[in-house]
Every structure is written in C-alpha cells, then in structure tokens.
Amino acid sequence: MASSILLEVVSPNGAVCAKDISMLIVRSTGGELGILPRHAPLITGLVPHAMRVKVQNQEELIACAGGFMEVTPKKITVLANAAEESGNIDVNRAQQAYSRAKARIEEFKRAPKEHEDIDIDRAELALARAKARLLATGTSFN
Ligand code: ATP
C-alpha cells in the first residue's frame, strides 16, 4: 500500500503548499474526513477549519477559509478561498478579526431590529475563518 499522497493547496494568491503527506484531515460540508493514500475519488466542499496534515510522524496545521477538495488515488487538491500554513498566520490579525466578528454577532443577537445593517451570515463566516486561523496556530479563544 502506498504510504504517501501528494497534497496541493491552492488559493487565489497562488500555491500554498505542495508536499507528500501520509494523511489529511479536513472539515468537509458533510463533516470531518480523513484522507489516506489511495483514497477513492471524491469531490467535496470544505468549511473554514484548520486542516491537519500528517507528514511521516509529524502533524502540521493549515488554516483553510473554505473551498473545495478533489481527491484522486495519488493526489489531493484543495482549492481554498484563502489558506495559510501555521507559520504564515498573523495571530494578532486573526485575534482582531475574531473579536470584530464576535462583537458584531453579539450586537445583532442583542437587538436584531436595531441592527439590520449587520450581515449576520458574513459575520458568522468571518468568525469561522478567524477561528480556523487561531486553531491552526494553537491560540485559544472563547
Ligand atoms: P481580515 O478581516 O483580517 O482581513 P478575513 O478572514 O476577512 O480576515 P480573508 O478574506 O479570509 O481574510 O483573506 C484575505 C487575505 O488575507 C488572504 O490572502 C488570506 O490568506 C490573508 N489573511 C487573512 N487573515 C490572515 C492572517 N491572520 N494571517 C495571515 N494571512 C491572513
């Protein structure tokens, strides 16, 4: 059995990573999925989350802001709206995005009729992207 599979992560800014890995764990629109070498072909949507990449015995984290994943037996392609390897994440920026989105959501929930200007779906997605980045850097949030 093949022990590795090529993972390519691409965002609108270009290639995020291309490497041989032993396992990928992602949050798909249908729930958590683990992909091993020679996985059956698959195409799925991805929701914002920290992807777990196993390379030999090490685990690396890549923040994914949502997108699509295509799996063939030899290659996994993630087409992400945005994605960053953990070392390229600006933690301070992610914390600020998290607080901003959280405050908007709380304001909206407190008085929805007074805050019809708040796009709640947009705020929820911004919160999920910020959480993905904080998870990928091991930064706690409440
Ligand atoms: P912000 O409000 O901080 O811009 P966002 O979730 O709206 O966050 P995105 O639209 O997902 O940002 O991403 C825009 C670009 O900025 C992408 O290229 C993404 O990789 C990059 N980016 C966003 N947040 C961070 C971060 N905390 N660290 C590094 N790059 C980031």
Side-chain angles (χ1 to χ4, degrees), residues 13 65 81-84 88-91 93-94 97 100 126 129-130 133:
N13 290 338
N81 300 329
E84 306 89 32
N88 291 330
I89 295 174
D90 178 340
V91 174
R93 176 174 168 181
R100 216 166 39 238
R129 291 195 299 275
R133 291 178 175 121

Side-chain angles (χ1 to χ4, degrees), residues 23-26 31-36 39 42 52 69 76:
M23 186 176 182
L24 174 71
I25 299 168
V26 296
E32 193 146 87
L33 274 181
I35 311 292
L36 291 163
H39 193 283
L42 165 82
R52 288 161 55 199
M69 175 178 72
I76 305 168

Side-chain angles (χ1 to χ4, degrees), residues 8-134:
E8 281 189 5
V9 181
V10 181
S11 81
N13 290 338
V16 175
C17 86
K19 62 173 105 188
D20 286 320
I21 65 161
S22 42
M23 186 176 182
L24 174 71
I25 299 168
V26 296
R27 187 68 60 85
S28 80
T29 46
E32 193 146 87
L33 274 181
I35 311 292
L36 291 163
R38 301 183 64 174
H39 193 283
L42 165 82
I43 292 185
T44 185
L46 297 178
V47 298
H49 204 64
M51 302 192 294
R52 288 161 55 199
V53 182
K54 294 206 173 139
V55 185
Q56 286 152 5
N57 286 331
Q58 306 267 51
E59 185 170 278
E60 299 170 13
L61 296 168
I62 301 178
C64 172
F68 292 92
M69 175 178 72
E70 181 191 36
V71 179
T72 66
K74 289 187 176 166
K75 184 175 168 187
I76 305 168
T77 308
V78 172
L79 295 175
N81 300 329
E84 306 89 32
E85 291 183 290
S86 57
N88 291 330
I89 295 174
D90 178 340
V91 174
N92 193 39
R93 176 174 168 181
Q95 283 173 321
Q96 286 181 18
Y98 177 86
S99 304
R100 216 166 39 238
K102 200 127 204 242
R104 278 204 186 105
I105 292 164
E106 275 162 19
E107 250 183 87
F108 181 82
K109 286 191 175 155
R110 193 175 43 78
K113 292 208 174 105
E114 282 169 36
H115 292 291
E116 282 170 355
D117 55 318
I118 292 179
D119 181 339
I120 191 69
D121 293 338
R122 185 175 161 191
E124 297 277 13
L125 274 173
L127 185 68
R129 291 195 299 275
K131 279 186 183 175
R133 291 178 175 121
L134 294 173

